Amino acid sequence: MHTLMIRVENKMKKSQAYSAYIMLLLLVIINLLIQGAGFANVSTINSLFLVNTPLILATIAQAVVIFCGGIDLSIGATISVVNAFAITAGQYMPVPLAWAGAFLIAVLLGAVKGSIAAYLRVPAILATFAISTLLEGVALLILPNPGGSIPSSIYSVYGGVFAGFIPISALVIAVVLIGYGIVNRRPLGAQIKAAGANPRSLFIAGVSVERTKMKAYVASGIITGIAGLCLTALASSGDPKIGNALSLNSIAATILGGVDLSGGWGTVGGAAAGALFLGIVNNIIFFVFNNIIHSSTFAGIKLSYLQQLLTNIIIILGLSSSLLTHLKKRTEKEEKDK
Amino acid sequence: MKFKAMDKKTIPGVFHNNTFIGLVLIAVMFLFGLTVNHNFLSPKSLENIFTNASLLAFASLGQTLVIISGGVDMSIASCISFGAVASALIMKGSNANIPQALLVLVITGLLVGVVNALGIIYANIAPLVMTLAVSNVLNVIQLIICNGSPTGSLAPAVGFLGKYKLVSVLSMITFLLIIAAIFVYFGLKHNNYAKQLFAVGNNRNAALLAGINVNKVIVITYIISAILGCLTGMLLLGYVNFPYINMGASYGMLTVAAVVIGGASFAGGKGNFLGTIIGSLVLVNLSNILVAIQLNDAVKNVINGLVLLMILVFYTREKAIRQ
């Protein structure tokens, strides 16, 4: 048992997302201390995953793009479009068809972003920012006002539990992680990271940098599509602005997960851990505000505003945690140099 | 190599002058506007266009400096919103309260600028991401100070600045902008800070080696940008007359687009305020035409995004790896 723990610890230390896993572990312990053992039952864990699956998937999608040296500020708006389309089209055609269409739109948008960033060589951060404005408008065009509904069976499946203790939403995340894990074991995984870390070397090695980046953006589009459908299943209704905040949140979560914004460094598992970290922080804030402060205002300020403020400040702190990643990267480089 | 036609040598030089392209665009839009609406060029409509463009240019002045330094500031929109709401709250319709309002705006701008710069310099966060995150915080603070519904009203002096017309097409705001433009023009030419700013934007390492305190220049730039944003909020309040939540939200994208149309480079080290003013005119014209043909906000969003995307494709393409 002892040797096994040491082996696990060594493997984790080698991981590029070491800091993310440690931070997540500490936070879970803190959460257990605050909320008591009641936190560790099936329904609480299920609702934690249920609520955070869209963010976790959006973060994985963001991480894949960041690996290849890009960034996607339009993930949130893409998710809004997916949600708006799935709800609106669901009124005119069979729901599975509408959802498949919404998913395809996300994949297509991934390809569009990829071609603008890779083939037209517009800096990804600016291009996706412009696309995000565009898509926010498109979502409003598809669904001008919040509303609509989905068959309740979808929600009950998404909110369900598999084999008594595994949330279905966690299974979705696992499938995505395993899927990208398979990609990562193949040459493409290394190529995507090389496109971010050292595109010139990749080019000299005879691999098309543009095509590699394109594949990364399409992969990200696929994951974004799944995230959008999960969010639709969670909300059970449409809102043209539903995902907009996810762009920035996913970047903060990616950085928290030990992924380097300059590309070529990090793991999708770390990114998911970073997103879960943000989710649990919000969970703690929510718990404290609802169970410890027993009024709707605090020092004359509406609690909902205070909650928003805290969440936004935590995102800035999350962004600042890139310092940790740089530290880890440097120590690893020094060890290699020895 | 499909885009070889974009190569600098194959196009006559004048088409590479953004000021020229901007003026042509304005002329085309005036003509198009006339076909849509016969009153498009009446003095009243022109005064409206000039005033709106001047407000945008004021907001974009800080953005120009930030983009010259090689960054980008997305917190300007939230500074404008905050500036409008906070100054209405403090002024309460009396001239005597203007100094306090100005003080609060300047201090807020200072804080926002410092936080932006610290994140960018020390935590190595991309400027766009950092300033977006800060702008979210400032937007919530705006909600908190007025508890969700803006109260208070503007002081008569601010209303005078915002609404007084000097001559038929020349409003007070436009006049202020002209003065600011002259000031900035000579300031950017003969000023130590300006020289350092361009050096930092052109090549940060070279600037560092030349003994420039790069971090100081960046901090100052973001502070100027945020303070100007807050003050523009006050001016906007004077023009619109009453405060509302997220008043400046639409300015965020527009300032960036105005600066880039004005000939600044996203890589830094290039740009001027005159170009930004022309860029502002182009964008305000565009939005007026969109209003004239009665499009809703969603379509405007789509068109704004498309315009920015086109600008980016034309102006900010990176070099291919094999070159």
Side-chain angles (χ1 to χ4, degrees):
Chain A
M1 187 66 196
H2 189 63
T3 48
L4 180 75
M5 274 178 70
I6 289 176
R7 216 190 285 162
V8 169
E9 199 195 338
N10 279 341
K11 190 157 169 71
M12 267 181 56
K13 260 188 188 164
K14 256 188 217 159
S15 165
Q16 295 171 348
Y18 179 58
S19 61
Y21 294 137
I22 294 298
M23 276 160 67
L24 184 61
L25 199 67
L26 283 178
L27 194 70
V28 170
I29 294 171
I30 292 173
N31 201 5
L32 281 174
L33 287 178
I34 295 178
Q35 303 192 12
F39 176 69
N41 67 30
V42 173
S43 78
T44 320
I45 299 288
N46 185 22
S47 68
L48 181 71
F49 272 102
L50 201 64
V51 173
N52 288 306
T53 297
L55 174 64
I56 293 173
L57 290 178
T59 307
I60 295 171
Q62 185 72 262
V64 174
V65 178
I66 289 178
F67 288 159
C68 82
I71 193 166
D72 191 349
L73 283 168
S74 62
I75 281 188
T78 310
I79 288 175
S80 298
V81 170
V82 169
N83 172 268
F85 185 87
I87 293 294
T88 311
Q91 293 167 358
Y92 302 105
M93 56 174 97
V95 171
L97 207 65
W99 285 48
F103 176 72
L104 275 182
I105 286 178
V107 179
L108 208 70
L109 284 174
V112 170
K113 291 172 207 168
S115 46
I116 291 174
Y119 289 100
L120 288 179
R121 297 193 304 273
V122 179
I125 193 165
L126 302 170
T128 54
F129 184 64
I131 292 172
S132 139
T133 314
L134 202 162
L135 291 182
E136 278 168 24
V138 170
L140 275 170
L141 277 182
I142 300 175
L143 187 72
N145 296 305
S149 60
I150 60 169
S152 60
S153 58
I154 294 181
Y155 179 80
S156 56
V157 168
Y158 175 71
V161 177
F162 177 74
F165 67 101
I166 304 169
I168 298 289
S169 44
L171 267 185
V172 176
I173 299 171
V175 167
V176 170
L177 281 179
I178 292 169
Y180 191 77
I182 293 170
V183 171
N184 207 21
R185 298 257 159 168
R186 298 173 64 79
L188 182 60
Q191 286 167 4
I192 286 177
K193 281 198 174 172
N198 200 338
R200 198 167 277 272
S201 303
L202 187 66
F203 175 70
I204 290 169
V207 180
S208 162
V209 178
E210 287 88 2
R211 205 171 300 154
T212 309
K213 283 193 170 181
M214 185 77 181
K215 283 175 190 163
Y217 274 94
V218 172
S220 162
I222 292 171
I223 304 170
T224 309
I226 300 173
L229 294 182
C230 282
L231 190 57
T232 310
L234 170 71
S236 303
S237 73
D239 178 353
K241 293 178 179 169
I242 194 164
N244 292 359
L246 282 175
S247 296
L248 213 55
N249 290 2
S250 67
I251 294 173
T254 320
I255 297 174
L256 273 169
V259 177
D260 188 359
L261 265 190
S262 56
W265 180 274
T267 65
V268 280
L276 201 56
F277 182 89
L278 266 191
I280 296 181
V281 167
N282 279 332
N283 184 297
I284 293 180
I285 292 176
F286 188 79
F287 180 85
V288 168
F289 276 37
N290 282 285
N291 296 31
I292 296 180
I293 305 169
H294 289 288
S295 74
S296 64
T297 56
F298 178 75
I301 302 166
K302 275 185 196 162
L303 275 191
S304 61
Y305 293 153
L306 219 53
Q307 208 167 330
Q308 278 181 45
L309 185 69
L310 264 177
T311 315
N312 283 319
I313 289 176
I314 285 164
I315 286 173
I316 293 186
L317 293 180
L319 292 173
S320 313
S321 73
S322 61
L323 284 171
L324 290 176
T325 312
H326 285 285
L327 218 63
K328 165 84 179 157
K329 209 171 165 183
R330 207 190 304 157
T331 45
E332 186 142 311
K333 200 167 171 237
E334 275 165 9
E335 269 170 24
K336 260 186 199 163
D337 289 346
K338 274 178 203 168
Chain B
M1 290 288 97
K2 269 181 210 161
F3 296 91
K4 195 133 198 185
M6 290 292 301
D7 207 318
K8 274 191 179 162
K9 282 164 201 158
T10 54
I11 298 179
V14 69
F15 288 105
H16 268 281
N17 186 338
N18 289 51
T19 315
F20 177 77
I21 297 178
L23 289 175
V24 169
L25 274 176
I26 292 171
V28 170
M29 282 181 184
F30 274 162
L31 287 178
F32 185 75
L34 268 182
T35 60
V36 177
N37 178 357
H38 292 296
N39 291 326
F40 198 80
L41 289 184
S42 67
K44 196 162 181 259
S45 159
L46 272 183
E47 190 258 351
N48 179 20
I49 289 176
F50 286 150
T51 308
N52 276 313
S54 306
L55 277 170
L56 178 57
F58 267 121
S60 312
L61 174 52
Q63 188 74 273
T64 313
L65 300 179
V66 172
I67 288 184
I68 290 174
S69 84
V72 62
D73 188 353
M74 294 314 302
S75 63
I76 289 177
S78 63
C79 284
I80 295 174
S81 307
F82 177 87
V85 170
S87 54
L89 206 64
I90 299 169
M91 286 193 293
K92 291 194 194 94
S94 152
N95 280 341
N97 292 329
I98 291 180
Q100 286 101 302
L102 282 177
L103 190 70
V104 167
L105 294 194
V106 170
I107 290 175
T108 311
L110 200 76
L111 282 175
V112 170
V114 167
V115 172
N116 276 337
L118 284 183
I120 291 161
I121 296 169
Y122 292 105
N124 242 331
I125 305 168
L128 205 158
V129 176
M130 182 66 198
T131 50
L132 266 179
V134 169
S135 99
N136 281 351
V137 171
L138 195 58
N139 273 334
V140 182
I141 293 178
Q142 169 213 202
L143 286 171
I144 289 178
I145 57 166
C146 64
N147 224 347
S149 52
T151 51
S153 58
L154 71 170
V158 176
F160 170 77
L161 282 184
K163 283 187 286 288
Y164 188 72
K165 280 181 207 167
L166 292 170
V167 202
S168 68
V169 296
L170 186 72
S171 65
M172 195 69 194
I173 294 181
T174 315
F175 180 68
L176 283 178
L177 179 81
I178 293 169
I179 294 177
I182 294 170
F183 189 73
V184 171
Y185 180 76
F186 288 107
L188 276 186
K189 248 185 178 170
H190 313 285
N191 184 313
N192 226 352
Y193 162 73
K195 279 177 194 156
Q196 294 185 348
L197 178 69
F198 278 97
V200 168
N202 262 321
N203 190 333
R204 199 158 290 190
N205 287 335
L208 201 65
L209 291 176
I212 294 173
N213 189 342
V214 173
N215 290 350
K216 194 174 133 197
V217 173
I218 292 177
V219 172
I220 290 176
T221 309
Y222 279 96
I223 289 177
I224 293 178
S225 167
I227 291 180
L228 280 175
C230 289
L231 295 181
T232 308
M234 201 180 201
L235 210 54
L236 182 67
L237 178 71
Y239 179 63
V240 179
N241 226 350
F242 59 90
Y244 55 93
I245 293 293
N246 287 343
M247 215 167 164
S250 61
Y251 281 87
M253 289 280 292
L254 292 178
T255 54
V256 179
V259 174
V260 177
I261 294 176
S265 151
F266 264 115
K270 207 174 144 228
N272 66 74
F273 190 42
L274 190 67
T276 303
I277 294 175
I278 289 172
S280 308
L281 259 176
V282 170
L283 290 170
V284 169
N285 260 321
L286 179 70
S287 94
N288 270 24
I289 289 176
L290 296 185
V291 169
I293 48 182
Q294 287 162 354
L295 293 173
N296 63 10
D297 276 359
V299 183
K300 264 195 232 163
N301 246 359
V302 172
I303 292 178
N304 273 340
L306 275 179
V307 168
L308 191 65
L309 202 58
M310 263 162 59
I311 295 169
L312 292 173
V313 171
F314 276 107
Y315 291 118
T316 65
R317 297 186 59 217
E318 291 164 337
K319 277 185 182 147
I321 287 168
R322 58 183 72 82
Q323 286 167 359

